[in-house]
Amino acid sequence: RKEVEQDPGPFNVPEGATVAFNCTYSNSASQSFFWYRQDCRKEPKLLMSVYSSGNEDGRFTAQLNRASQYISLLIRDSKLSDSATYLCVALDWGTGNQFYFGTGTSLTVIP
Amino acid sequence: DVKVTQSSRYLVKRTGEKVFLECVQDMDHENMFWYRQDPGLGLRLIYFSYDVKMKEKGDIPEGYSVSREKKERFSLILESASTNQTSMYLCASTTGTGRTEAFFGQGTRLTVV
């Protein structure tokens, strides 16, 4: 069983749509969570950290539900430039500061 | 800005060659990591290091070794390259507390022929 599971998609949505990604993690000791964005043939880059209270950055909203061990990312008013793969990441401070990556969810925003 | 730099973007090597992948970070980070990324499998941890001369095996260390002689540099070595090591290799670093995000290098796409 993978530590972090994501729906790989692909998600194909029209411009302006709202799209939501979910991810679940199995290690209840994970303390920090992130969403990364990865463009084709490029390195992952931090999109946003995820806090228990939920956090928002412009059109992006991240939520964490520790009881259910899932993380979500909501993208509102999708832009063509949002097309990428989104990686869900959990960090366990205890086991050598190990990052656990989901395999990513592919998003294509269509004109 | 944190910068993590990998020595090559693209490499083509022959089976059996010894391959060195270099990674340098300029933010005085204690922790450094090597991952490989393959379609459908995501990022898998090969080795990581907390400090100079320290190393820990990740999930898939077989066929690889690492070296960390200086804090800013973490090298991945393929002792005898094989075709199943064709992959995208990503180096990352984080601060000593390890509670913040990982910063990635631009990746090295290695092809073993």
Side-chain angles (χ1 to χ4, degrees):
Chain A
R1 184 183 173 200
K2 291 181 180 171
E3 297 280 350
V4 175
E5 304 238 25
Q6 289 180 256
D7 179 349
F11 284 68
N12 299 315
V13 302
E15 267 187 292
T18 296
V19 61
F21 305 140
N22 293 320
C23 124
T24 58
Y25 62 95
S26 60
N27 181 1
S28 59
S30 296
Q31 294 104 334
S32 296
F33 304 90
F34 310 94
W35 282 100
Y36 276 74
R37 172 196 168 121
Q38 186 173 25
D39 294 297
C40 187
R41 296 184 175 271
K42 297 285 184 69
E43 76 273 23
K45 292 187 178 177
L46 180 69
L47 178 66
M48 57 198 305
S49 301
V50 187
Y51 305 116
S52 295
S53 54
N55 48 301
E56 189 173 309
D57 183 2
R59 299 182 291 108
F60 299 86
T61 300
Q63 293 277 355
L64 166 63
N65 184 319
R66 287 189 186 273
S68 302
Q69 295 185 199
Y70 83 76
I71 305 147
S72 65
L73 177 68
L74 184 76
I75 305 175
R76 290 181 299 279
D77 188 22
S78 299
K79 311 290 184 193
L80 296 178
S81 57
D82 293 334
S83 298
T85 296
Y86 291 83
L87 303 175
C88 175
V89 186
L91 171 59
D92 180 353
W93 302 341
T95 57
N97 297 319
Q98 284 237 33
F99 290 87
Y100 298 99
F101 290 85
T103 52
T105 299
S106 173
L107 171 67
T108 301
V109 181
I110 304 163
Chain B
D1 269 357
V2 175
K3 194 149 187 189
V4 181
T5 304
Q6 293 182 228
S7 52
S8 305
R9 288 296 302 271
Y10 300 96
L11 273 180
V12 179
K13 296 292 182 181
R14 295 194 179 277
T15 301
E17 276 193 78
K18 191 169 186 176
V19 181
F20 293 85
L21 303 183
E22 306 285 347
C23 174
V24 177
Q25 50 92 5
D26 66 359
M27 283 301 292
D28 202 36
H29 282 172
E30 283 78 6
N31 306 323
M32 296 188 75
F33 306 81
W34 274 106
Y35 296 90
R36 64 177 283 178
Q37 186 176 30
D38 302 287
L41 297 178
L43 276 83
R44 292 181 291 166
L45 181 63
I46 305 171
Y47 268 97
F48 58 105
S49 170
Y50 296 130
D51 202 349
V52 176
K53 297 194 186 295
M54 294 187 68
K55 59 185 179 184
E56 297 283 344
K57 291 181 180 179
D59 300 318
I60 51 164
E62 297 78 19
Y64 304 94
S65 62
V66 290
S67 172
R68 194 159 180 210
E69 296 297 318
K70 293 185 178 181
K71 190 176 185 180
E72 67 270 18
R73 186 181 296 270
F74 192 35
S75 302
L76 179 70
I77 303 150
L78 286 65
E79 298 291 343
S80 178
S82 63
T83 54
N84 63 12
Q85 292 179 309
T86 292
S87 186
M88 168 76 116
Y89 289 87
L90 289 158
C91 174
S93 73
T94 64
T95 62
T97 62
R99 297 180 181 186
T100 59
E101 71 271 23
F103 295 88
F104 284 89
Q106 77 275 31
T108 297
R109 188 164 294 277
L110 172 67
T111 302
V112 182
V113 297

